[in-house]
Amino acid sequence: MSNLESFRKETRDWLEANCPASMRQPMKDEKDVCWGGKKFEFANDDQKLWLDRMAEKGWTAPQWPVEYGGGGLSSDEAQILKEEMKAINARDPLTSFGIWMLGPALLKYGSEEQKKHYLPQITRGEIRWCQGYSEPGAGSDLASLRTKGVDKGDYYEVTGQKVWTSYADKADWIFALVRTEPDKPKHEGISFLLIDMESDGVTTKPIKLISGKSPFCETFFDEVKVPKANLIGTAGKGWDIAKYLLSHERTNIVGAGGMAAGLNPVGAAHKSGEVDDKGRIADPMLRADVARLTIDALAFEATMRRVKDESDAGQGVGARASMLKYIGTELNKRRHELNLSAMGADGLLWEGPDPSDGGPARDWLRSRANSIEGGTSEIQLNILAKRVLNLPGA
Amino acid sequence: MSNLESFRKETRDWLEANCPASMRQPMKDEKDVCWGGKKFEFANDDQKLWLDRMAEKGWTAPQWPVEYGGGGLSSDEAQILKEEMKAINARDPLTSFGIWMLGPALLKYGSEEQKKHYLPQITRGEIRWCQGYSEPGAGSDLASLRTKGVDKGDYYEVTGQKVWTSYADKADWIFALVRTEPDKPKHEGISFLLIDMESDGVTTKPIKLISGKSPFCETFFDEVKVPKANLIGTAGKGWDIAKYLLSHERTNIVGAGGMAAGLNPVGAAHKSGEVDDKGRIADPMLRADVARLTIDALAFEATMRRVKDESDAGQGVGARASMLKYIGTELNKRRHELNLSAMGADGLLWEGPDPSDGGPARDWLRSRANSIEGGTSEIQLNILAKRVLNLPGA
Amino acid sequence: MSFVLTEEEQMLRDSAKDFLAAKSPVSELRRLRDEGCKDGFRHAVWRGMAEMGWNGIVVEEDFGGVDMGFTAAGVLLREMGRTLAATPFIPSAILSATLLRLAGSDAQKGEHLPKIAGGEAVYAFAFDEKARHDPGTIDTRATKDGNGFRLNGSKRFVACGNGADMLIVAARLEDDSLGFFLVDPKADGVTKTMRRTVDSHVPADIDFKDVKLDGDAMLSGGADGQATFDHVLDVGRACLAAEQLGTAEEAFDRTLSYLKDRSQFGQPIGSFQSLQHRAAHMLGEIELAHSLVMKALRTLDENPSQAPLWIAAAKAKATEVSRHVTGEAIQMHGGIGMTDEHEIGFFFKRARAAGEFMGDERFNAERVATTTGF
Amino acid sequence: MSFVLTEEEQMLRDSAKDFLAAKSPVSELRRLRDEGCKDGFRHAVWRGMAEMGWNGIVVEEDFGGVDMGFTAAGVLLREMGRTLAATPFIPSAILSATLLRLAGSDAQKGEHLPKIAGGEAVYAFAFDEKARHDPGTIDTRATKDGNGFRLNGSKRFVACGNGADMLIVAARLEDDSLGFFLVDPKADGVTKTMRRTVDSHVPADIDFKDVKLDGDAMLSGGADGQATFDHVLDVGRACLAAEQLGTAEEAFDRTLSYLKDRSQFGQPIGSFQSLQHRAAHMLGEIELAHSLVMKALRTLDENPSQAPLWIAAAKAKATEVSRHVTGEAIQMHGGIGMTDEHEIGFFFKRARAAGEFMGDERFNAERVATTTGF
């Protein structure tokens, strides 16, 4: 038996023995997602047990080094773990911005001491993180941020406002970009700081979207004291870390776009009874538009696969994340438009007796943000024009 | 009887008495178009007779002043003349770049002597003119032209190359933009010169397009002597005249786009037998595309009418010519695409036993130039963004 | 036929602008929504519109109207589209009034039209029975019962159906022809289910179970029911297209302002050429929709037999353009446009909903094809 | 299934690039056109391709082929699409070879496949009978006549039909099933009408009037004629989509170069953001088409029963994208792109014609809908 085969067997046995039965059921609602953190209320004991057991193995962050609370797995082993978890429908033990956003930055830019301190808290789900990049007025021009951190010797005094800080009201700490050297050019002079949300002077306010309630908040800093020990990397070099993290975020939004592939205007047409006796969408023009959408959806699916294959083989175009983000989010918007068209007025419902009423319209509205968040479509096109096509600057 | 009513009656009587019967037939081919000029061979005596009689009345340029060979008609009278000619299917007695391009520029910018000299030659169809603006490499950036006219005292010595000079091989004279003051900024230092095509050093070469033969030529000037008397307006101020004339050209291309409204993909589908038993286009997706084209064609037709009504009432948006040019030419390209699709492989024929073989494909190819000539679609969008929407410069 | 507004129509437009800015700006729609208003409109605004004479814009003077025609109605709706005024104007003052005018007996007109024109009562026209507009499907039945009728069937998404004082219901008679019945929404057997839609409007699904109607409940002054129905819907589509045009225009104007005001990378975002070209393209699309809307309304006034083609084209184009422009508006506003706090999202929502009502772009493009003969 | 080319396929691509650059650049198509070539291809180039082993790319080794599969064929076609190589490759080496392979008896394979693979003879497959591709309409009839057949009917726009040495004709038998017949174009009763199309290809309309055929003219080794026909067309579509992809890619590359080289208003036109965004959008569209083409070809090689959906999607998308990109290429080249002297117009023309052959974007989108079940 090869090493990988024996790893698969051991993993399977361990999961079988340790994953509680209730954690092998599909999630029913938002509460079933385990975010961890100090304020988190576990939905039940199994949810906590499952987190603790997985964290113990380091498998909440399977590929992170063991010394920082990770599993130390190779990429092949991590893939096997994923497959075996999927085979028994095991839930993710922990959903965490700490793992998929802050962690990679800490691993790359953090000091040994910082890694030792923060990473295990993340893998054990003890500290919940949120992200503080964007500011009102900054938008796509992220580097124009104005939240300032005044050097006060052993700490920075941080004052300003962040926006689009997801779950800031539920997070324990925030990783934030702060302008610490105001006289430098705009991409310099920015530092990457870790800030305790319980510090004096931090407040949050939820943001309501056109689609309704959202996890987004505004976060305000009023003369917040941040110890210099909480600076990651070099002072004034936070922009490099931000760029590194943004590529992670972009990839994630592409994934979100892909998820909506389950959304099917054909199904909507069937549900609204708008099909002919052969099961075809009765409106020939809607059918044509859905056919064209289907072709692009198939093409996108194939492109995701191809990009992966090429990437594994060290081939392919650059700035793939920008390309996939642009195509995937624009496709997703079209999909939602057609879904509503297939539903007719039923798709316009905002709320109603049926709990699912309003869902399609709110999802449609939410989809519009896909081509804005994580870098607008326009920014992605700029990136492709410059980095892939090498077109000259204006 | 009002003045206009009596004018209508007189006009009707005169046309009845003077328009030869053969000039009331639809034109059969290119030869039936009367261009005039020294090299022109009249298709028959009636063509010449009709030109001479109309020129005698000044009705080849009905609204020009009588002293320059025009008809001196008011705009209402000119409209009546047009209607009465249409009522008996009278052919245009003269098709002339002199009338619809050079004439307006001469009337506005020419000296009294120049008007007296050139305009009557134009209205009588004695001199055929062509236009010399564009140069290889200049393109949309027309003012970057390099044909130079060196000041030699009482004449300019002109050397350079013009492109897209329609019918230059058949014209007697050319009106051309020439850089006479090379040290001035690019929009200054350009002069508007009239040049005899029989001058030493002028040669032409026809341009073949992707659609086949074309009226366009390249025109070369090699140390051509152009008397200063042939300068229109002020030396170095030719760009103003050019801008004035370009708006005329733009309007004309819109008209050309409108002409293709006769082109009907529905008819093509019927001809190729691709209709169902109810006479509907059988391919539902093609039918959908044609329906959407039809809506935009109706909208364009209504917009042409609305712009005219608003213009008469002194209302409406500015830069109308740019808007209509952009919309009309892009619509025309779509129309030709759908026409070919409705024809299937028949639409691909380049030549064949039937004289009409190749027509649809060549027209389709020719339509692609509509959104390039007379200012590209991109230039029109720039103009709209700046002049109508008042968006700021980059 | 002139594409230019008459002096009278221009005055009407100017007074509409003033009234709506004062009484029914976009913030008013937000208030209606946040208050959970069940009627979907503000009665005070509706009465104010009646005082301006708007509610009788297509009602004869004999019945209390000003009878200015559909182009004038479109002038009002274009301004209402700009402020997203949620009112019973189309259901009551356009659809119900036109239906009564065409199909009502003198007595019925005398009773009901002055109420509509005077804003005393709100009328709603109940016709759709499916989630997608399909005027060919009317299965609601009115069967003879003594001197009167029994009404059975279900209507869906009746515009202003929750707040209406009186319903006019399209139903099939025993010979399968179409009839129109005045029904009190409080009558026995009428069940309303309030629906809140994405645009903060409040239509209703309405069931009719053995509803007993008097003999004079049926509109009895008109000719062919189907022809009347087709025409009334077309009138509604032309007017709604005018409202959609106004919505597109206002969203576009607001976006243009934003493009000029908002800076990124040290310059106004309106200086970026790709946004400039998209804005210029939108200008052209709005101009096309504008022309079709004007043509449809004028033709309805001056040469109604030629109107169906132009109305179908206008509703299709206004739907497409208003959805496109409001979608671009959201995108160009960026993150701020996604927040409920900003008003631009209301335009995007309304464009979607108005596009669906009485047939979307595809439904009307299909009619263009059929009417043109292919 | 891997989206990455094997080492063997990469080598094939590299040698194809070299060969085509030397022997069949775009200027060669211009020469063929200007010479008025009646075959529509250069025999020397065709023989060269045979020597490279290309003509037997999907022919078994027993019959003189190299049998590398459809993905490999697609690799060649993508490069041919880049240089607009006008050859009988699809008609002869793909359609006819696949048809013989599937439906030919051992004797027929032994006789004909080596000729195809060796480039000794050019075969054409005659199937369409209307100007628009419609594989459901085959009215050409083969009726029994003694031990042989009589063939009657008309085929339209047979690719390479004018230059072919041998035809394979799809015809209905007396029981309405489909059969395939080897027909010598010089036989009595066969009338060819040469057609020149906009892309400088030379198909032919071919009439068959009481053409007498031997009994062994019918391909007799295969199973169901309809299934064979459907599959052969799908093979052709997948391969043609690869060619269309290459055409789009090359037109795009040339346009990018032009955007970098050409200056207007004192700067390269590629620095204008609206052109940059349109170019970046095209990049994405080409990548999408690329993925579908690879997926269709690999699926054809590895899991053919799943291929029809992917092939329909690939042909639809490659048609749409190649037409869009070559149209943008003309526009971005401006006036120079409209001249016959410049090569970019050849790409625009070929994209149009290739898009039509074996079903355009709409035909294949319809098949995607049907195959997907809506």
Side-chain angles (χ1 to χ4, degrees), chain D residues 128-141:
Chain D
D128 273 334
E129 304 189 354
K130 296 161 69 179
R132 295 193 84 204
H133 178 57
D134 180 4
T137 300
I138 301 280
D139 291 332
T140 297
R141 292 265 158 195

Side-chain angles (χ1 to χ4, degrees), chain A residues 15-144:
Chain A
L15 287 171
E16 190 51 48
N18 288 280
C19 183
S22 72
M23 293 294 108
R24 304 185 192 189
Q25 304 297 322
M27 296 195 186
K28 280 185 212 75
D29 55 40
E30 181 64 21
K31 279 192 306 183
D32 288 337
V33 180
C34 178
W35 287 92
K38 294 182 195 167
K39 304 170 196 163
F40 188 70
E41 291 178 21
F42 287 94
N44 50 57
D45 291 348
D46 280 355
Q47 192 182 40
K48 179 161 195 329
L49 186 70
W50 178 225
L51 169 61
D52 289 346
R53 284 178 177 165
M54 285 290 277
E56 182 70 21
K57 293 281 281 184
W59 284 1
T60 52
Q63 289 186 257
W64 290 10
V66 174
E67 63 266 40
Y68 306 135
L73 303 189
S74 70
S75 111
D76 285 343
E77 288 168 337
Q79 180 63 30
I80 286 170
L81 171 58
K82 209 186 239 173
E83 287 164 12
E84 293 302 320
M85 285 178 68
K86 198 176 169 189
I88 62 166
N89 293 316
R91 293 181 183 172
D92 278 339
L94 182 61
T95 300
S96 158
F97 294 167
I99 288 172
W100 65 263
M101 299 194 72
L102 177 61
L106 280 177
L107 284 166
K108 191 171 162 87
Y109 294 96
S111 68
E112 188 56 29
E113 207 182 332
Q114 288 168 333
K115 290 188 224 179
K116 283 257 168 62
H117 178 71
Y118 291 108
L119 292 174
Q121 292 178 337
I122 289 172
T123 62
R124 291 198 302 266
E126 290 167 2
I127 299 293
R128 181 168 179 180
W129 287 88
C130 67
Q131 181 222 59
Y133 284 7
S134 214
E135 297 188 3
S140 294
D141 187 10
L142 189 53
S144 71

Side-chain angles (χ1 to χ4, degrees), chain A residues 137-138 140-141 164 208-210 274 283 286 289 337-338 341 343-346 348 350-351 364 371 378, chain C residues 130-132 156-157 195-198 262 264-265 278 327 331 335 338-340 348-349 352 356 362:
Chain A
S140 294
D141 187 10
W164 306 120
K208 198 173 155 196
L209 293 184
I210 57 173
E274 297 293 341
D283 176 343
L286 179 60
D289 290 341
E337 291 287 337
L338 286 177
S341 287
M343 293 183 74
D346 279 337
L348 302 176
W350 184 245
E351 55 193 25
W364 161 68
S371 56
E378 290 77 13
Chain C
K130 298 161 68 179
R132 293 192 88 206
R156 301 215 60 200
F157 292 96
R195 297 288 185 195
R196 286 193 188 279
T197 45
V198 68
R262 164 81 165 164
Q264 293 267 272
F265 306 105
R278 280 156 60 184
Q331 181 68 23
M338 282 300 299
T339 63
D340 183 68
F348 182 62
K349 292 171 174 179
R352 179 83 223 170
E356 207 60 44
R362 297 178 189 92

